[in-house]
Amino acid sequence: MDHVDHILIVDDDREIRELVSGYLQKNGLRTSVAADGRQMRSFLEANAVDLIVLDIMMPGDEGLVLCRELRAGRHKAIPILMLTARTDEMDRILGLEMGADDYLAKPFAARELLARIKAVLRRTRMLPPNFQISEAGQLLTFGDWRLDTVARHLLDKDGTAIALSGAEYRLLRVFIDHPHRVLNRDQLLSLTQGRDAELFDRSIDLLVSRLRQRLGDDAREPTYIKTVRSEGYVFSVPVEISEPRR
């Protein structure tokens, strides 16, 4: 039997929960709903989902807090699409940094939500072109660093783990999967988020800056992520696949 994607909708507005749930079901998806963080946690303890649609403004734990909680726990691999009535770009960037996979402002068209959900699921399941083999238990080595693709964190030369946000991990994977290739902002946005570059181009610069800090890369004379003036960025070190230490 073909797999039917299961979407969990977390929103304190019952009308939105019902409308979104009904529309997604009519378009071939399986849906469940939760009104707050407590219900979300309870549901995830007993059920598997393929994606969470998470409202940012809710009583109690708001969406950004729940997103950060999900990314730090055992459900960190579940894609998250955030909904919000906020329109401030910095709020959207904050959602990215917390690990959201996409961000849609209210009011929104149901067709756009469906398209975003399908795009996030497609990106999440797409194997990087340079690594068409199983990554279970493997490390991607570059310079003085290794990236643990299971735990989704960096290991320095001493083996110390450095946690990455969801957005930082996705950006680093894009660079690692395309070493020595200049990538402009539009390409980085498309490969990491699938967002509208006109609205979110600044978020890429912010994420590059944060990732350089994680890598200890001097922005003035970077070793790993170099700026190509008027073109974009390039990951300038070779990448190797290595086995984890036993």
Side-chain angles (χ1 to χ4, degrees), residues 73-166:
R74 65 186 184 91
H75 303 296
K76 60 187 176 184
I78 301 176
I80 299 172
L81 190 155
M82 302 202 76
L83 299 178
T84 182
R86 298 176 180 175
T87 57
D88 189 339
E89 183 177 338
M90 289 308 298
D91 284 328
R92 303 185 186 199
I93 292 173
L94 186 58
L96 275 175
E97 293 183 341
M98 292 298 182
D101 293 271
D102 207 345
Y103 205 110
L104 189 58
K106 299 177 181 178
F108 56 85
R111 287 179 60 187
E112 181 178 5
L113 175 61
L114 177 63
R116 295 287 190 103
I117 288 173
K118 290 183 176 180
V120 170
L121 289 172
R122 184 168 58 251
R123 291 196 304 271
T124 302
R125 291 164 179 165
M126 190 169 21
L127 282 174
N130 295 346
F131 301 105
Q132 296 293 332
I133 61 176
S134 171
E135 291 184 349
Q138 290 184 328
L139 302 172
L140 305 180
T141 303
F142 55 96
D144 293 331
W145 296 94
R146 291 172 294 154
L147 181 67
D148 186 326
T149 61
V150 176
R152 295 166 68 103
H153 57 220
L154 278 170
L155 298 170
D156 65 16
K157 60 184 178 181
D158 297 319
T160 302
I162 297 177
L164 297 173
S165 71

Side-chain angles (χ1 to χ4, degrees), residues 5-237:
D5 288 320
H6 187 187
I7 312 301
L8 176 62
I9 303 156
V10 185
D11 198 307
D12 64 311
D13 188 318
R14 185 177 65 179
E15 183 177 359
I16 289 179
R17 292 198 306 269
E18 293 177 351
L19 287 173
V20 170
S21 178
Y23 183 81
L24 296 182
Q25 288 179 20
K26 288 179 181 178
N27 284 273
L29 299 175
R30 178 185 171 200
T31 64
S32 298
V33 298
D36 52 32
R38 181 184 60 81
Q39 290 185 12
M40 179 194 77
R41 296 184 191 99
S42 178
F43 185 85
L44 290 176
E45 285 300 312
N47 300 274
V49 302
D50 295 286
L51 182 142
I52 299 173
V53 176
L54 179 61
D55 185 33
I56 196 173
M57 299 181 69
M58 294 187 292
D61 293 333
E62 67 168 18
L64 290 175
V65 174
L66 295 176
C67 182
R68 181 170 55 193
E69 177 184 315
L70 287 166
R71 285 294 174 255
R74 65 186 184 91
H75 303 296
K76 60 187 176 184
I78 301 176
I80 299 172
L81 190 155
M82 302 202 76
L83 299 178
T84 182
R86 298 176 180 175
T87 57
D88 189 339
E89 183 177 338
M90 289 308 298
D91 284 328
R92 303 185 186 199
I93 292 173
L94 186 58
L96 275 175
E97 293 183 341
M98 292 298 182
D101 293 271
D102 207 345
Y103 205 110
L104 189 58
K106 299 177 181 178
F108 56 85
R111 287 179 60 187
E112 181 178 5
L113 175 61
L114 177 63
R116 295 287 190 103
I117 288 173
K118 290 183 176 180
V120 170
L121 289 172
R122 184 168 58 251
R123 291 196 304 271
T124 302
R125 291 164 179 165
M126 190 169 21
L127 282 174
N130 295 346
F131 301 105
Q132 296 293 332
I133 61 176
S134 171
E135 291 184 349
Q138 290 184 328
L139 302 172
L140 305 180
T141 303
F142 55 96
D144 293 331
W145 296 94
R146 291 172 294 154
L147 181 67
D148 186 326
T149 61
V150 176
R152 295 166 68 103
H153 57 220
L154 278 170
L155 298 170
D156 65 16
K157 60 184 178 181
D158 297 319
T160 302
I162 297 177
L164 297 173
S165 71
E168 291 166 350
Y169 175 82
R170 289 191 298 275
L171 182 61
L172 181 56
R173 281 306 307 267
V174 168
F175 280 129
I176 285 176
D177 295 343
H178 303 85
H180 309 296
R181 174 182 169 186
V182 178
L183 298 171
N184 61 38
R185 289 175 179 82
D186 287 354
Q187 291 171 318
L188 291 172
L189 286 165
S190 176
L191 290 166
T192 58
Q193 309 298 334
R195 288 181 169 78
D196 185 336
E198 183 179 352
L199 293 177
F200 291 94
D201 59 349
R202 286 175 50 204
S203 68
I204 286 296
D205 295 329
L206 178 76
L207 286 175
V208 168
S209 176
R210 289 174 60 88
L211 189 54
R212 279 173 169 163
Q213 291 177 23
R214 299 286 194 194
L215 297 172
D217 222 5
D218 186 343
R220 291 170 296 182
E221 295 183 6
T223 299
Y224 297 99
I225 306 173
K226 295 183 181 294
T227 301
V228 181
R229 188 171 182 178
S230 302
E231 292 191 46
Y233 299 99
V234 60
F235 196 72
S236 59
V237 295

